[in-house]
Amino acid sequence: MNEINQIWETYRASWSNKNSAKRTDELRKITTEDFEYRDPNVELMGFEQLSDYMSQFQEEFIGASFVIKDFIVHHDRSFAYWNMVNSENEVVVVGADFAIYENGKLKQITGFFKEG
């Protein structure tokens, strides 16, 4: 379980990492080759597309970050409840992510959210 917590923290922190090369490298280390990401706005394949999406997020939501409210893990699956906060630490979006892991890496993330 500790390994999954570390993977998740790397993933969460990647949303705020403005260094594209470093972020992409970190995502490469924690995702499977056939990694899939989905949220209400997009479906992506692979860590490079996810890193590009994170760059777009940073441009649209300057200074925003994610605060994990609860993180539950079992059987290579996790569920994270989170708040997206703006630069004034105000909650602007609430959501949850369901993730599947395979061989110690993220295989799939499905995000659910609505504006706060």
Side-chain angles (χ1 to χ4, degrees):
M1 183 167 14
N2 192 31
E3 180 182 35
I4 288 177
N5 290 345
Q6 291 173 338
I7 292 168
W8 190 260
E9 178 53 25
T10 299
Y11 166 75
R12 186 209 57 81
S14 293
W15 285 94
S16 299
N17 185 344
K18 294 182 182 186
N19 182 324
S20 180
K22 184 176 178 182
R23 180 183 59 245
T24 302
D25 187 52
E26 290 293 314
L27 291 171
R28 176 186 297 114
K29 292 176 187 174
I30 64 166
T31 59
T32 62
E33 289 186 27
D34 59 347
F35 173 77
E36 298 175 10
Y37 174 91
R38 291 176 185 82
D39 71 27
N41 299 321
V42 71
E43 289 188 34
L44 306 171
M45 296 292 295
F47 64 87
E48 290 175 332
Q49 286 185 0
L50 178 60
S51 184
D52 291 344
Y53 186 55
M54 289 173 170
S55 288
Q56 293 169 11
F57 166 83
Q58 291 171 10
E59 290 173 13
E60 186 173 347
F61 300 100
I62 297 169
S65 62
F66 291 94
V67 176
I68 304 302
K69 303 306 286 180
D70 197 9
F71 188 70
I72 304 165
V73 177
H74 70 81
H75 297 94
D76 291 328
R77 282 150 174 72
S78 69
F79 206 81
Y81 295 94
W82 49 263
N83 290 338
M84 185 179 97
V85 297
N86 63 19
S87 57
E88 287 81 39
N89 209 33
E90 300 166 327
V91 175
V92 292
V93 177
V94 296
D97 288 339
F98 173 73
I100 298 173
Y101 303 80
E102 182 178 87
N103 299 319
K105 292 188 173 190
L106 273 167
K107 180 175 179 61
Q108 187 179 91
I109 296 175
T110 304
F112 301 86
F113 55 83
K114 60 182 180 179
E115 293 183 19

